[in-house]
């Protein structure tokens, strides 16, 4: 199934006039609903104190906040891609500008699953991308694969993201995984993360995102979902055998997915909801992509007797295509809710 760089924040507050304005929210490529919150600040412009700050949208007029060097305001925008220009004026009248590009969705389409589905009593583990991950070739796939990881400051959704670089031949797949908890009783889950694609993602057939949980009876449930681009569907895993003699299988859902159409060099919000029973029957409920919900709606057996001790882990896997190549993706703000 499946660098060195200079942190953006410090570049933004350097003395170069172009980067004198720091935009805290939204981030570049972020998907937002209208109105969205715009937060920005600027202490100096061309080495002089800022006396006013403002913004404009695309080629529209500028809204100015005289006497301020900080803004926190709501901005209304039509559905589609826009460029937000944040401007700061110094005491000599010089202006410094920083731009950010956003994608606006309708408010009804962009309802966050974590706020509409997850109960307030749910336990969450955040920033999973910053924990200690391991990489390994998925032996169930043909070909070869290897992977490298690093934490980087750009691109990022939260400030620091995990970079994955996969090199493969002939359908080889690289699995990246992290063990982060020990809970055997939770039965409902929400996987919530942000994925950034580059043009090299054209080399990848499937993007797989799994959760594994060992239950109180010792069996491990695999909640597996992948965007199967060649099939154009969200796939889900099931066990067609028994827990002791498992027979793993990927099944197509009716929900459409082709991550080659998501758009490169921007962040995409992926959320998945599923639940299980004590016997390992898993119900795959929904997948949200950038706020748009797709229904999986399948209940299948997904338990296996694997002898795993740790009970909660996540896989992020990239499956190569028929040729050979190298692909780079990023993962940020990864959170798991359980209840």
């Amino acid at each position: 199934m499946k660098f060195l760089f200079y942190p953006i924040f410090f570049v933004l507050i350097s003395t170069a006039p172009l980067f004198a304005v720091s935009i805290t929210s939204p981030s570049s490529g972020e998907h937002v609903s209208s109105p969205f919150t715009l937060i920005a600040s600027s202490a100096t412009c061309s080495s002089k104190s800022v006396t006013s700050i403002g913004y404009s949208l695309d080629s529209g007029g500028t809204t100015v906040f005289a006497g301020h060097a900080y803004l926190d305001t709501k901005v209304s925008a039509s559905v589609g891609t826009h460029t937000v220009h944040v401007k700061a004026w110094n005491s000599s009248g010089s202006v410094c500008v920083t731009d950010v590009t956003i994608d606006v969705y309708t408010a009804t389409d962009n309802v966050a699953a974590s706020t509409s589905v997850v109960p307030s009593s749910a336990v969450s583990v955040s920033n999973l991308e910053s924990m200690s991950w391991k990489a390994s070739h998925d032996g169930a796939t043909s070909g070869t694969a290897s992977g490298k990881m690093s934490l980087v400051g750009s691109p990022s959704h939260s400030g620091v993201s995990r970079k994955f670089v996969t090199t493969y031949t002939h359908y080889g797949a690289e699995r990246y995984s992290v063990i982060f908890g020990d809970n055997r009783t939770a039965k409902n889950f929400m996987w919530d993360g942000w994925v950034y694609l580059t043009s090299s993602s054209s080399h990848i057939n499937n993007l797989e995102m799994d959760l594994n949980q060992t239950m109180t009876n010792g069996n491990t449930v695999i909640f597996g979902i992948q965007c199967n681009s060649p099939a154009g569907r969200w796939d889900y895993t099931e066990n067609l055998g028994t827990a002791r003699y498992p027979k793993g299988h990927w099944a197509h859902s009716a929900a459409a997915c082709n991550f080659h159409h998501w758009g490169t060099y921007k962040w995409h919000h992926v959320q998945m909801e599923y639940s299980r029973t004590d016997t390992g029957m898993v119900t795959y409920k929904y997948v949200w992509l950038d706020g748009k919900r797709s229904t999986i709606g399948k209940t299948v057996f997904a338990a296996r007797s694997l002898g795993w001790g740790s009970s909660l882990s996540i896989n992020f896997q990239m499956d190569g295509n028929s040729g050979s190549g190298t692909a780079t993706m990023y993962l940020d703000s990864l959170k798991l809710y359980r209840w």
Side-chain angles (χ1 to χ4, degrees), residues 237-259:
T237 57
E238 57 184 342
N239 179 3
L240 299 180
T242 65
R244 186 174 181 182
Y245 302 103
K247 184 179 179 181
H249 176 255
W250 282 100
H252 298 325
S253 75
C257 186
N258 184 336
F259 67 83

PDB file of all heavy atoms in Angstrom, residues 237-259:
ATOM      1  N   THR A 237      -9.851  -1.510   4.281  1.00  0.00           N
ATOM      2  CA  THR A 237      -9.341  -2.861   4.497  1.00  0.00           C
ATOM      3  C   THR A 237     -10.374  -3.716   5.208  1.00  0.00           C
ATOM      4  O   THR A 237     -11.181  -3.232   6.002  1.00  0.00           O
ATOM      5  CB  THR A 237      -8.062  -2.860   5.340  1.00  0.00           C
ATOM      6  OG1 THR A 237      -8.316  -2.198   6.592  1.00  0.00           O
ATOM      7  CG2 THR A 237      -6.936  -2.151   4.624  1.00  0.00           C
ATOM      8  N   GLU A 238     -10.290  -5.016   4.936  1.00  0.00           N
ATOM      9  CA  GLU A 238     -11.097  -6.002   5.631  1.00  0.00           C
ATOM     10  C   GLU A 238     -10.298  -7.298   5.732  1.00  0.00           C
ATOM     11  O   GLU A 238      -9.320  -7.502   5.006  1.00  0.00           O
ATOM     12  CB  GLU A 238     -12.410  -6.253   4.889  1.00  0.00           C
ATOM     13  CG  GLU A 238     -12.225  -6.705   3.446  1.00  0.00           C
ATOM     14  CD  GLU A 238     -13.547  -6.841   2.713  1.00  0.00           C
ATOM     15  OE1 GLU A 238     -14.596  -6.927   3.377  1.00  0.00           O
ATOM     16  OE2 GLU A 238     -13.519  -6.877   1.466  1.00  0.00           O
ATOM     17  N   ASN A 239     -10.697  -8.170   6.655  1.00  0.00           N
ATOM     18  CA  ASN A 239     -10.079  -9.474   6.832  1.00  0.00           C
ATOM     19  C   ASN A 239     -11.075 -10.523   6.368  1.00  0.00           C
ATOM     20  O   ASN A 239     -12.089 -10.768   7.030  1.00  0.00           O
ATOM     21  CB  ASN A 239      -9.694  -9.689   8.297  1.00  0.00           C
ATOM     22  CG  ASN A 239      -9.053 -11.044   8.549  1.00  0.00           C
ATOM     23  OD1 ASN A 239      -8.843 -11.828   7.617  1.00  0.00           O
ATOM     24  ND2 ASN A 239      -8.737 -11.328   9.805  1.00  0.00           N
ATOM     25  N   LEU A 240     -10.797 -11.157   5.239  1.00  0.00           N
ATOM     26  CA  LEU A 240     -11.697 -12.158   4.685  1.00  0.00           C
ATOM     27  C   LEU A 240     -11.471 -13.540   5.302  1.00  0.00           C
ATOM     28  O   LEU A 240     -12.220 -14.479   5.008  1.00  0.00           O
ATOM     29  CB  LEU A 240     -11.531 -12.245   3.166  1.00  0.00           C
ATOM     30  CG  LEU A 240     -11.850 -10.961   2.388  1.00  0.00           C
ATOM     31  CD1 LEU A 240     -11.656 -11.185   0.891  1.00  0.00           C
ATOM     32  CD2 LEU A 240     -13.255 -10.463   2.678  1.00  0.00           C
ATOM     33  N   GLY A 241     -10.467 -13.645   6.167  1.00  0.00           N
ATOM     34  CA  GLY A 241     -10.216 -14.895   6.864  1.00  0.00           C
ATOM     35  C   GLY A 241     -10.679 -14.825   8.305  1.00  0.00           C
ATOM     36  O   GLY A 241     -11.736 -14.267   8.602  1.00  0.00           O
ATOM     37  N   THR A 242      -9.868 -15.364   9.199  1.00  0.00           N
ATOM     38  CA  THR A 242     -10.141 -15.316  10.634  1.00  0.00           C
ATOM     39  C   THR A 242      -9.044 -14.516  11.312  1.00  0.00           C
ATOM     40  O   THR A 242      -8.036 -14.170  10.687  1.00  0.00           O
ATOM     41  CB  THR A 242     -10.192 -16.727  11.237  1.00  0.00           C
ATOM     42  OG1 THR A 242      -8.889 -17.331  11.129  1.00  0.00           O
ATOM     43  CG2 THR A 242     -11.224 -17.586  10.512  1.00  0.00           C
ATOM     44  N   ALA A 243      -9.224 -14.242  12.609  1.00  0.00           N
ATOM     45  CA  ALA A 243      -8.190 -13.517  13.327  1.00  0.00           C
ATOM     46  C   ALA A 243      -6.878 -14.303  13.341  1.00  0.00           C
ATOM     47  O   ALA A 243      -5.796 -13.737  13.173  1.00  0.00           O
ATOM     48  CB  ALA A 243      -8.652 -13.232  14.752  1.00  0.00           C
ATOM     49  N   ARG A 244      -6.979 -15.614  13.521  1.00  0.00           N
ATOM     50  CA  ARG A 244      -5.778 -16.447  13.579  1.00  0.00           C
ATOM     51  C   ARG A 244      -5.188 -16.659  12.196  1.00  0.00           C
ATOM     52  O   ARG A 244      -3.956 -16.730  12.033  1.00  0.00           O
ATOM     53  CB  ARG A 244      -6.111 -17.788  14.224  1.00  0.00           C
ATOM     54  CG  ARG A 244      -4.886 -18.672  14.447  1.00  0.00           C
ATOM     55  CD  ARG A 244      -5.247 -19.933  15.213  1.00  0.00           C
ATOM     56  NE  ARG A 244      -4.074 -20.764  15.445  1.00  0.00           N
ATOM     57  CZ  ARG A 244      -4.093 -21.946  16.053  1.00  0.00           C
ATOM     58  NH1 ARG A 244      -5.260 -22.431  16.517  1.00  0.00           N
ATOM     59  NH2 ARG A 244      -2.987 -22.647  16.207  1.00  0.00           N
ATOM     60  N   TYR A 245      -6.023 -16.798  11.203  1.00  0.00           N
ATOM     61  CA  TYR A 245      -5.568 -16.984   9.828  1.00  0.00           C
ATOM     62  C   TYR A 245      -6.133 -15.868   8.955  1.00  0.00           C
ATOM     63  O   TYR A 245      -7.082 -16.069   8.187  1.00  0.00           O
ATOM     64  CB  TYR A 245      -5.999 -18.355   9.303  1.00  0.00           C
ATOM     65  CG  TYR A 245      -5.477 -19.509  10.131  1.00  0.00           C
ATOM     66  CD1 TYR A 245      -6.312 -20.183  11.017  1.00  0.00           C
ATOM     67  CD2 TYR A 245      -4.146 -19.901  10.031  1.00  0.00           C
ATOM     68  CE1 TYR A 245      -5.827 -21.238  11.786  1.00  0.00           C
ATOM     69  CE2 TYR A 245      -3.655 -20.958  10.787  1.00  0.00           C
ATOM     70  CZ  TYR A 245      -4.497 -21.613  11.669  1.00  0.00           C
ATOM     71  OH  TYR A 245      -4.011 -22.648  12.427  1.00  0.00           O
ATOM     72  N   PRO A 246      -5.546 -14.683   9.071  1.00  0.00           N
ATOM     73  CA  PRO A 246      -6.114 -13.525   8.362  1.00  0.00           C
ATOM     74  C   PRO A 246      -5.854 -13.570   6.859  1.00  0.00           C
ATOM     75  O   PRO A 246      -4.878 -14.146   6.383  1.00  0.00           O
ATOM     76  CB  PRO A 246      -5.378 -12.339   8.995  1.00  0.00           C
ATOM     77  CG  PRO A 246      -4.088 -12.921   9.480  1.00  0.00           C
ATOM     78  CD  PRO A 246      -4.398 -14.326   9.918  1.00  0.00           C
ATOM     79  N   LYS A 247      -6.753 -12.951   6.141  1.00  0.00           N
ATOM     80  CA  LYS A 247      -6.625 -12.784   4.701  1.00  0.00           C
ATOM     81  C   LYS A 247      -7.013 -11.343   4.374  1.00  0.00           C
ATOM     82  O   LYS A 247      -8.175 -11.021   4.168  1.00  0.00           O
ATOM     83  CB  LYS A 247      -7.521 -13.766   3.953  1.00  0.00           C
ATOM     84  CG  LYS A 247      -7.361 -13.724   2.433  1.00  0.00           C
ATOM     85  CD  LYS A 247      -8.268 -14.741   1.742  1.00  0.00           C
ATOM     86  CE  LYS A 247      -8.111 -14.665   0.227  1.00  0.00           C
ATOM     87  NZ  LYS A 247      -9.007 -15.643  -0.457  1.00  0.00           N
ATOM     88  N   GLY A 248      -6.000 -10.501   4.375  1.00  0.00           N
ATOM     89  CA  GLY A 248      -6.260  -9.085   4.156  1.00  0.00           C
ATOM     90  C   GLY A 248      -6.717  -8.778   2.753  1.00  0.00           C
ATOM     91  O   GLY A 248      -6.286  -9.410   1.788  1.00  0.00           O
ATOM     92  N   HIS A 249      -7.602  -7.789   2.660  1.00  0.00           N
ATOM     93  CA  HIS A 249      -8.163  -7.441   1.353  1.00  0.00           C
ATOM     94  C   HIS A 249      -8.522  -5.969   1.333  1.00  0.00           C
ATOM     95  O   HIS A 249      -9.053  -5.426   2.300  1.00  0.00           O
ATOM     96  CB  HIS A 249      -9.415  -8.285   1.080  1.00  0.00           C
ATOM     97  CG  HIS A 249     -10.107  -7.938  -0.198  1.00  0.00           C
ATOM     98  ND1 HIS A 249     -11.297  -7.224  -0.233  1.00  0.00           N
ATOM     99  CD2 HIS A 249      -9.771  -8.171  -1.501  1.00  0.00           C
ATOM    100  CE1 HIS A 249     -11.669  -7.065  -1.493  1.00  0.00           C
ATOM    101  NE2 HIS A 249     -10.767  -7.625  -2.282  1.00  0.00           N
ATOM    102  N   TRP A 250      -8.200  -5.325   0.213  1.00  0.00           N
ATOM    103  CA  TRP A 250      -8.622  -3.951  -0.003  1.00  0.00           C
ATOM    104  C   TRP A 250      -9.893  -3.953  -0.841  1.00  0.00           C
ATOM    105  O   TRP A 250      -9.929  -4.567  -1.914  1.00  0.00           O
ATOM    106  CB  TRP A 250      -7.545  -3.147  -0.719  1.00  0.00           C
ATOM    107  CG  TRP A 250      -6.438  -2.708   0.185  1.00  0.00           C
ATOM    108  CD1 TRP A 250      -5.217  -3.290   0.324  1.00  0.00           C
ATOM    109  CD2 TRP A 250      -6.449  -1.589   1.071  1.00  0.00           C
ATOM    110  NE1 TRP A 250      -4.461  -2.607   1.248  1.00  0.00           N
ATOM    111  CE2 TRP A 250      -5.190  -1.557   1.723  1.00  0.00           C
ATOM    112  CE3 TRP A 250      -7.391  -0.614   1.385  1.00  0.00           C
ATOM    113  CZ2 TRP A 250      -4.851  -0.595   2.659  1.00  0.00           C
ATOM    114  CZ3 TRP A 250      -7.047   0.349   2.315  1.00  0.00           C
ATOM    115  CH2 TRP A 250      -5.812   0.362   2.951  1.00  0.00           C
ATOM    116  N   ALA A 251     -10.910  -3.284  -0.367  1.00  0.00           N
ATOM    117  CA  ALA A 251     -12.187  -3.200  -1.076  1.00  0.00           C
ATOM    118  C   ALA A 251     -12.437  -1.758  -1.513  1.00  0.00           C
ATOM    119  O   ALA A 251     -12.103  -0.810  -0.791  1.00  0.00           O
ATOM    120  CB  ALA A 251     -13.332  -3.685  -0.194  1.00  0.00           C
ATOM    121  N   HIS A 252     -13.025  -1.596  -2.694  1.00  0.00           N
ATOM    122  CA  HIS A 252     -13.390  -0.266  -3.172  1.00  0.00           C
ATOM    123  C   HIS A 252     -14.698   0.174  -2.516  1.00  0.00           C
ATOM    124  O   HIS A 252     -15.647  -0.602  -2.444  1.00  0.00           O
ATOM    125  CB  HIS A 252     -13.605  -0.262  -4.688  1.00  0.00           C
ATOM    126  CG  HIS A 252     -12.395  -0.625  -5.485  1.00  0.00           C
ATOM    127  ND1 HIS A 252     -11.112  -0.275  -5.108  1.00  0.00           N
ATOM    128  CD2 HIS A 252     -12.269  -1.306  -6.663  1.00  0.00           C
ATOM    129  CE1 HIS A 252     -10.264  -0.720  -6.010  1.00  0.00           C
ATOM    130  NE2 HIS A 252     -10.937  -1.360  -6.959  1.00  0.00           N
ATOM    131  N   SER A 253     -14.739   1.413  -2.071  1.00  0.00           N
ATOM    132  CA  SER A 253     -16.007   1.998  -1.649  1.00  0.00           C
ATOM    133  C   SER A 253     -16.626   2.708  -2.847  1.00  0.00           C
ATOM    134  O   SER A 253     -16.029   2.796  -3.922  1.00  0.00           O
ATOM    135  CB  SER A 253     -15.794   2.989  -0.505  1.00  0.00           C
ATOM    136  OG  SER A 253     -15.228   4.200  -1.003  1.00  0.00           O
ATOM    137  N   ALA A 254     -17.817   3.242  -2.649  1.00  0.00           N
ATOM    138  CA  ALA A 254     -18.466   4.013  -3.707  1.00  0.00           C
ATOM    139  C   ALA A 254     -17.996   5.461  -3.723  1.00  0.00           C
ATOM    140  O   ALA A 254     -18.350   6.227  -4.620  1.00  0.00           O
ATOM    141  CB  ALA A 254     -19.982   3.960  -3.534  1.00  0.00           C
ATOM    142  N   ALA A 255     -17.187   5.854  -2.723  1.00  0.00           N
ATOM    143  CA  ALA A 255     -16.739   7.240  -2.597  1.00  0.00           C
ATOM    144  C   ALA A 255     -15.551   7.507  -3.521  1.00  0.00           C
ATOM    145  O   ALA A 255     -14.559   6.762  -3.519  1.00  0.00           O
ATOM    146  CB  ALA A 255     -16.364   7.542  -1.154  1.00  0.00           C
ATOM    147  N   ALA A 256     -15.636   8.557  -4.305  1.00  0.00           N
ATOM    148  CA  ALA A 256     -14.595   8.883  -5.277  1.00  0.00           C
ATOM    149  C   ALA A 256     -13.374   9.497  -4.613  1.00  0.00           C
ATOM    150  O   ALA A 256     -13.487  10.285  -3.667  1.00  0.00           O
ATOM    151  CB  ALA A 256     -15.147   9.838  -6.337  1.00  0.00           C
ATOM    152  N   CYS A 257     -12.175   9.130  -5.111  1.00  0.00           N
ATOM    153  CA  CYS A 257     -10.940   9.767  -4.637  1.00  0.00           C
ATOM    154  C   CYS A 257      -9.827   9.564  -5.648  1.00  0.00           C
ATOM    155  O   CYS A 257      -9.582   8.436  -6.105  1.00  0.00           O
ATOM    156  CB  CYS A 257     -10.503   9.201  -3.284  1.00  0.00           C
ATOM    157  SG  CYS A 257      -9.081  10.100  -2.592  1.00  0.00           S
ATOM    158  N   ASN A 258      -9.164  10.642  -6.010  1.00  0.00           N
ATOM    159  CA  ASN A 258      -7.967  10.605  -6.833  1.00  0.00           C
ATOM    160  C   ASN A 258      -7.096  11.758  -6.373  1.00  0.00           C
ATOM    161  O   ASN A 258      -7.370  12.921  -6.694  1.00  0.00           O
ATOM    162  CB  ASN A 258      -8.314  10.744  -8.317  1.00  0.00           C
ATOM    163  CG  ASN A 258      -7.099  10.606  -9.219  1.00  0.00           C
ATOM    164  OD1 ASN A 258      -5.959  10.836  -8.797  1.00  0.00           O
ATOM    165  ND2 ASN A 258      -7.322  10.246 -10.477  1.00  0.00           N
ATOM    166  N   PHE A 259      -6.063  11.439  -5.585  1.00  0.00           N
ATOM    167  CA  PHE A 259      -5.307  12.552  -4.999  1.00  0.00           C
ATOM    168  C   PHE A 259      -4.456  13.282  -6.034  1.00  0.00           C
ATOM    169  O   PHE A 259      -3.936  14.365  -5.748  1.00  0.00           O
ATOM    170  CB  PHE A 259      -4.460  12.088  -3.804  1.00  0.00           C
ATOM    171  CG  PHE A 259      -3.324  11.152  -4.140  1.00  0.00           C
ATOM    172  CD1 PHE A 259      -2.113  11.638  -4.575  1.00  0.00           C
ATOM    173  CD2 PHE A 259      -3.469   9.792  -3.982  1.00  0.00           C
ATOM    174  CE1 PHE A 259      -1.065  10.782  -4.862  1.00  0.00           C
ATOM    175  CE2 PHE A 259      -2.437   8.927  -4.258  1.00  0.00           C
ATOM    176  CZ  PHE A 259      -1.227   9.423  -4.710  1.00  0.00           C
TER     177      PHE A 259
END
